């Protein structure tokens, strides 16, 4: 496989979307939430040569990418925002962001969570429903359980479309992403102990021409990945997982051209 830096332009620039057969359309129009889209994603996941990482002393976790319907304009406001000073923890930050996640819904979407401010680790950060595997659980079991516990959506194993690449976090986990078809008319009920708010992110937002973008940090020789969404930037590990999701399920890239294993997290997410 070619080095990861060969797949981007320059630090802080957008990845070239020309390789995507849907990027130009997706950057403008929501993607239809229908049976054809479900089958297309399932086929692409079945064809994907998934990267599985050894635990090597790390803990195993699963996250769920729950695909569901959303309505354009239904998320016109987000009450949670941050000052410009608070946003300076973002590597390469030059201003203009407020942390709000509004105006991103429409068509096929996935569930993104803003973690509770009272959590001991990664408080108020962006996350997918997920957590550590309990004893005897599979990654599918854990992803479905965490989806129910965190966002109040109960789904059966036959809703699972497939798995994406493992991603190793700086905090000592190997995350396995599970793509799940949530269906239409799904009501989200976030657990306030873990989730401050939930958002429906239109899949077309992942295919913006300026997404993903990369910046360098002095603490690592790996590129920090940033996914522009709303008034914020979503970083790894969540950012890496949703880029892998986009490249496999939305763009239909080959497995070798969809890898994110070398994408770095910002220092604020290392703990």
């Amino acid at each position: 496989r070619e080095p990861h830096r060969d797949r981007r332009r320059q630090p802080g620039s957008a990845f070239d979307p020309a390789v995507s057969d849907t990027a130009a359309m997706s950057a403008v129009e929501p993607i239809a939430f229908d049976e054809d889209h479900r089958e297309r994603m399932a086929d692409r996941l079945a064809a994907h040569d998934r990267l599985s990482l050894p635990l090597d002393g790390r803990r195993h976790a699963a996250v769920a990418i729950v695909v569901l319907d959303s309505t354009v304009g239904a998320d016109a406001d987000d009450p949670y925002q941050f000052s410009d000073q608070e946003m300076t923890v973002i590597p390469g930050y030059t201003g203009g962001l407020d942390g709000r996640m509004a105006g991103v819904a429409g068509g096929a979407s996935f569930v993104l969570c803003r973690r509770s401010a009272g959590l001991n680790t990664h408080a108020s950060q962006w996350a997918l429903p997920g957590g550590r595997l309990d004893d005897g659980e599979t990654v599918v079991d854990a992803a479905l359980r965490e989806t129910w516990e965190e966002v109040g959506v109960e789904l059966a194993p036959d809703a699972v479309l497939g798995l994406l690449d493992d991603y190793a976090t700086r905090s000592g986990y190997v995350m396995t992403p599970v793509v799940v078809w949530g269906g239409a008319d799904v009501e989200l009920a976030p657990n306030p102990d873990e989730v401050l708010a939930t958002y429906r992110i239109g899949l077309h937002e992942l295919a913006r021409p300026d997404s993903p973008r990369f910046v360098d940090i002095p603490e690592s020789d790996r590129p920090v990945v940033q996914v522009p969404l709303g008034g914020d930037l979503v970083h790894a590990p969540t950012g890496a997982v949703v880029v892998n999701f986009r490249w496999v399920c939305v763009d239909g890239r080959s497995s070798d051209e969809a890898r994110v294993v070398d994408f770095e997290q910002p220092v604020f997410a290392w703990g």
Side-chain angles (χ1 to χ4, degrees), residues 1-268:
R1 183 167 60 86
E2 295 181 354
H4 59 261
R5 289 180 185 266
D6 289 347
R7 303 216 315 272
R8 60 181 185 140
R9 293 177 183 170
Q10 298 294 329
S13 68
F15 193 93
D16 185 354
V19 297
S20 166
D21 60 358
T22 62
M25 176 275 293
S26 299
V28 178
E29 298 293 335
I31 297 173
F33 181 82
D34 55 25
E35 185 64 19
D36 286 344
H37 185 62
R38 188 195 71 80
E39 292 180 359
R40 185 164 56 250
M41 287 201 302
D43 289 345
R44 288 173 173 175
L45 286 163
H48 180 55
D49 183 14
R50 196 182 84 82
L51 180 66
S52 179
L53 298 178
L55 293 182
D56 290 339
R58 295 172 294 205
R59 294 158 290 184
H60 202 180
V63 294
I65 300 178
V66 181
V67 181
L68 71 176
D69 203 0
S70 66
T71 303
V72 174
D75 61 340
D77 186 40
D78 179 6
Y80 305 106
Q81 65 181 69
F82 298 85
S83 68
D84 196 66
Q85 180 61 37
E86 290 172 312
M87 300 299 285
T88 59
V89 298
I90 295 174
Y93 183 64
T94 58
L97 299 176
D98 61 10
R100 296 171 65 248
M101 193 61 64
V104 294
S109 62
F110 72 95
V111 178
L112 183 67
C113 301
R114 192 191 295 274
R115 288 169 57 86
S116 172
L119 293 174
N120 292 329
T121 59
H122 309 297
S124 300
Q125 293 181 18
W126 298 113
L128 298 164
R132 184 175 178 176
L133 272 65
D134 288 343
D135 290 342
E137 276 192 319
T138 67
V139 291
V140 168
D141 292 337
L144 295 178
R145 173 181 56 77
E146 292 284 353
T147 299
W148 165 244
E149 292 177 357
E150 293 188 5
V151 299
V153 177
E154 188 171 16
L155 298 168
D158 62 6
V160 174
L161 300 183
L163 308 183
L164 289 165
D165 291 353
D166 285 351
Y167 181 84
T169 75
R170 285 279 188 170
S171 56
Y173 285 89
V174 171
M175 292 171 48
T176 300
V178 181
V179 182
V180 188
W181 188 256
D185 301 320
V186 173
E187 294 292 332
L188 300 175
N191 177 352
D193 292 336
E194 301 184 62
V195 179
L196 182 64
T198 55
Y199 304 83
R200 299 174 190 238
I201 311 297
L203 302 191
H204 62 291
E205 289 287 334
L206 295 179
R208 285 170 42 169
D210 61 344
S211 181
R213 50 183 272 183
F214 302 90
V215 295
D216 288 326
I217 57 173
E219 296 85 357
S220 176
D221 62 356
R222 298 159 56 195
V224 172
V225 63
Q226 299 178 326
V227 180
L229 290 174
D232 208 345
L233 298 169
V234 178
H235 296 84
T238 300
V241 170
V242 298
V243 169
N244 189 220
F245 171 64
R246 171 207 167 166
W247 284 348
V248 172
C249 293
V250 179
D251 292 358
R253 286 191 180 205
S254 68
S255 299
D256 286 344
E257 286 298 316
R259 301 297 187 210
V260 297
V261 63
D262 292 320
F263 292 170
E264 181 61 278
Q265 302 172 230
V267 175
F268 68 74

